[in-house]
Amino acid sequence: MADTQWRTGVNAGVEPGSCAVSVINALNEQFIQHQCKFVVQVGDLVDKEAVDGARTLPTRATACQALYDNGIGFFPVRGNHEATATAANELPVLFPQTLGEGANVFGAENFTSPAENLKGLSYAFDYNNVRCVLIDQFTRKDGSNYLSSTNHNAVDQVSWVDGVLASKSSEQHAFVFAHKNLIGQNHKDVLFGANLTANAAARDAFIKSLDVNGVRYCLGGHDHMHHRSVVTDSSRTFNVDQIICASNSYKFYTPASGDDGREIPVVQELYTVGYYIFTIDGSRVTVDFYSASHGQDYGDTDLITVPETFDFYLRERFGYSLNGDQYVVARGESYVGIKGNYKGFAAKILCGVNGNAETDFLNRALSKTVSTGWADADLVANAGSPVFSLWGMVDNLSLYDGNLTGYLPAEKESAATDSYTLSLGFDSKKARPSQLVTGKFALAVRDENKVWRNAVDLNSGGVKKFVYGPWKESYGLGTYGVDAKTSTVWAVLNNEGDFVAKLL
């Protein structure tokens, strides 16, 4: 979750201490329903550090109690709205779990910080096979100013981040969090300085470290919008996926032009309240982005009151696997070349083109980040292959219409992908010839109820037809088959997910 500011003096009886308590309560309920293990907030816990002489961070701390009561941890990092030395000393006292102390650690362990004056502000911890690294870029406990030449933002923490990431095991996931972003959309002050090009050497070293050490997502707030992109270093050699988190505040921002060419936009949704659920399943990660309309006109606007209820919709699903790859596919580019190999089994896309015509607010064409992954199929009955996963084939979601006046609810958004053909190898010993020739052994996909079904049954449209033999370019959507000579099953699809070759 992200920024939880509330405007001072507006609806103060309900949203005390310049803190969006109603939004926090709504999200807390969602996190409880999702049975989350812990929550991370990427800064701006309050709007003002003090209101009428009273400190406000205790209000944000109190609003966590519902999580704690349900055994859910909460790990914050500061934003620019709590950037003083006073807040730096206050935060670890209110949230001792950032030090690995107190009753609300809830299974997190191996806490570390880069320096004494950043202890409990910038910190890393492990939870099962996940390592989280949170970066504080503001005035420190001893009063050293983040705008000084020696302590400018995150510059002097790059080596610490690199060491924390390099020391994780190959089976651990790692996520990096900060308040400000690598490349902002509305704001141009970023993690490494007051503009996009500041401290380029440190920034490039940071991006290289994340890439080399297998970090897929760097998350931030500050811009009050949902925005995903791929951000590269200056040489365009190393990159990381950036997630700018949706607003949990009274403020919603509009993107402003101006970047330095290092960003590939992937998806954008403006003017909504949202949150993110990360599901970790061994080597695989699935991220679900949920959002809700705030019920008022869209634009660069401030809320006066919080809606009485929030109707959250699943707006986007993306993910990755540690044993898979990611492919950036621009508009009009082919999916051919997306492939994977695992324990002697091969999967590949045989045809298909990214036909997504959507743009972001600045009219930039959106690319797709297609990720692959594998899992053993030990628990899948009658499986003849491992499970092969695809994320990122669905057209990117865009919530605003051209005039920024209408909310498009989730049911109006299609979950269909572009039409493509997927081929997956199988163990010929797992199927009898009679099962192959009749189409009883085929490419299957797991539906929302975790039931394995013929992969073409989840298509939108098309005609279901079985072919015994190799795929041909003339075959239309819904055609599926088995090529016994190459021990592969294939299907012409417009859905994504987890696939396996199995007896149906």
Side-chain angles (χ1 to χ4, degrees):
M1 63 183 295
D3 313 55
T4 53
Q5 305 141 274
W6 193 259
R7 188 180 228 173
T8 307
V10 177
N11 208 25
V14 179
E15 318 300 337
S18 74
C19 187
V21 172
S22 293
V23 179
I24 293 168
N25 290 341
L27 265 63
N28 283 350
E29 181 59 31
Q30 295 299 308
F31 298 142
I32 293 167
Q33 293 299 319
H34 285 292
Q35 298 182 319
C36 293
K37 300 301 183 184
F38 63 87
V39 176
V40 172
Q41 179 166 339
V42 286
D44 282 0
L45 307 170
V46 293
D47 196 50
K48 305 288 185 183
E49 284 192 25
V51 175
D52 297 329
R55 299 294 297 174
T56 57
L57 280 176
T59 300
R60 181 65 187 93
T62 299
C64 293
Q65 193 60 49
L67 297 180
Y68 301 152
D69 290 345
N70 285 274
I72 300 172
F74 179 79
F75 297 98
V77 66
R78 286 191 301 163
N80 56 290
H81 281 254
E82 51 272 343
T84 68
T86 302
N89 285 282
E90 187 177 24
L91 186 132
V93 174
L94 293 170
F95 304 96
Q97 60 265 32
T98 66
L99 301 166
E101 300 174 357
N104 299 323
V105 176
F106 294 119
E109 58 184 359
N110 300 329
F111 284 78
T112 180
S113 289
E116 188 63 32
N117 64 358
L118 281 168
K119 194 172 182 181
L121 302 175
S122 285
Y123 58 102
F125 66 88
D126 293 339
Y127 187 94
N128 292 339
N129 66 331
V130 173
R131 176 160 294 178
C132 293
V133 182
L134 293 84
I135 302 170
D136 186 292
Q137 60 185 113
F138 303 105
T139 303
R140 302 171 182 185
K141 292 180 179 181
D142 58 4
S144 56
N145 195 316
Y146 75 101
L147 292 177
S148 71
S149 59
T150 56
N151 285 324
H152 195 98
N153 296 282
V155 170
D156 61 345
Q157 299 180 61
V158 173
S159 60
W160 170 73
V161 172
D162 183 63
V164 169
L165 296 176
S167 64
K168 73 177 182 64
S169 76
S170 60
E171 297 180 350
Q172 273 186 299
H173 301 275
F175 305 103
V176 175
F177 306 86
H179 178 60
K180 294 186 180 181
N181 305 293
L182 295 174
I183 293 182
Q185 302 309 301
N186 176 272
H187 295 91
K188 303 307 175 184
D189 55 321
V190 290
L191 181 60
F192 283 90
N195 56 70
L196 298 183
T197 60
N199 298 298
R203 178 203 67 208
D204 288 352
F206 178 80
I207 293 173
K208 177 180 178 180
S209 175
L210 268 56
D211 190 334
V212 169
N213 289 302
V215 176
R216 303 296 180 95
Y217 302 132
C218 182
L219 295 95
H222 197 45
D223 266 350
H224 298 238
M225 66 180 70
H226 171 58
H227 179 87
R228 284 203 298 124
S229 62
V230 178
V231 175
T232 73
D233 69 338
S234 299
S235 70
R236 311 311 197 261
T237 303
F238 302 99
N239 65 75
V240 66
D241 284 19
Q242 170 179 259
I243 302 173
I244 299 177
C245 296
S247 179
N248 300 145
S249 170
Y250 73 99
K251 290 188 286 190
F252 304 88
Y253 289 124
T254 298
S257 60
D259 64 62
D260 60 354
R262 294 182 298 107
E263 182 182 37
I264 302 170
V266 175
V267 65
Q268 186 178 89
E269 178 174 291
L270 306 180
Y271 316 130
T272 60
V273 174
Y275 64 90
Y276 304 78
I277 300 295
F278 284 66
T279 300
I280 316 298
D281 179 13
S283 64
R284 297 145 45 90
V285 172
T286 300
V287 187
D288 290 328
F289 165 58
Y290 291 84
S291 70
S293 167
H294 51 63
Q296 300 186 32
D297 289 342
Y298 285 99
D300 200 343
T301 185
D302 291 349
L303 296 182
I304 303 301
T305 59
V306 174
E308 292 184 4
T309 61
F310 287 98
D311 295 319
F312 288 103
Y313 294 92
L314 175 60
R315 301 292 294 144
E316 184 190 16
R317 174 169 289 165
F318 54 98
Y320 73 88
S321 178
L322 292 174
N323 58 21
D325 298 298
Q326 177 170 286
Y327 302 81
V328 179
V329 184
R331 177 194 291 178
E333 286 189 350
S334 173
Y335 296 120
V336 176
I338 295 176
K339 60 185 179 180
N341 290 276
Y342 181 76
K343 296 184 177 179
F345 294 86
K348 58 183 176 180
I349 292 180
L350 303 177
C351 74
V353 172
N354 178 5
N356 183 17
E358 293 179 358
T359 63
D360 68 3
F361 183 84
L362 299 175
N363 204 34
R364 297 181 296 178
L366 299 176
S367 296
K368 293 183 181 178
T369 49
V370 180
S371 297
T372 65
W374 294 91
D376 292 326
D378 298 340
L379 300 179
V380 181
N382 302 311
S385 75
V387 176
F388 177 71
S389 299
L390 279 173
W391 297 267
M393 299 286 290
V394 176
D395 279 358
N396 317 96
L397 299 185
S398 182
L399 188 59
Y400 58 87
D401 63 15
N403 298 315
L404 304 180
T405 57
Y407 174 66
L408 305 180
E411 61 265 22
K412 292 187 179 180
E413 294 284 3
S414 173
T417 71
D418 298 299
S419 179
Y420 71 101
T421 300
L422 177 63
S423 169
L424 178 62
F426 66 89
D427 183 350
S428 60
K429 300 184 184 66
K430 297 293 185 177
R432 297 192 299 271
S434 60
Q435 295 168 336
L436 299 180
V437 74
T438 58
K440 294 181 179 179
F441 188 88
L443 184 69
V445 67
R446 182 160 40 192
D447 67 15
E448 288 294 321
N449 296 316
K450 298 185 178 181
V451 175
W452 290 99
R453 299 170 58 187
N454 190 314
V456 299
D457 287 343
L458 267 62
N459 281 345
S460 298
V463 177
K464 185 176 181 180
K465 178 183 178 181
F466 172 70
V467 172
Y468 183 67
W471 168 78
K472 296 180 181 179
E473 289 187 14
S474 60
Y475 292 151
L477 181 66
T479 311
Y480 70 102
V482 57
D483 186 348
K485 291 183 179 180
T486 60
S487 296
T488 57
V489 290
W490 54 267
V492 186
L493 306 170
N494 63 3
N495 67 83
E496 67 173 15
D498 301 329
F499 299 94
V500 70
K502 73 180 301 289
L503 182 65
L504 296 170

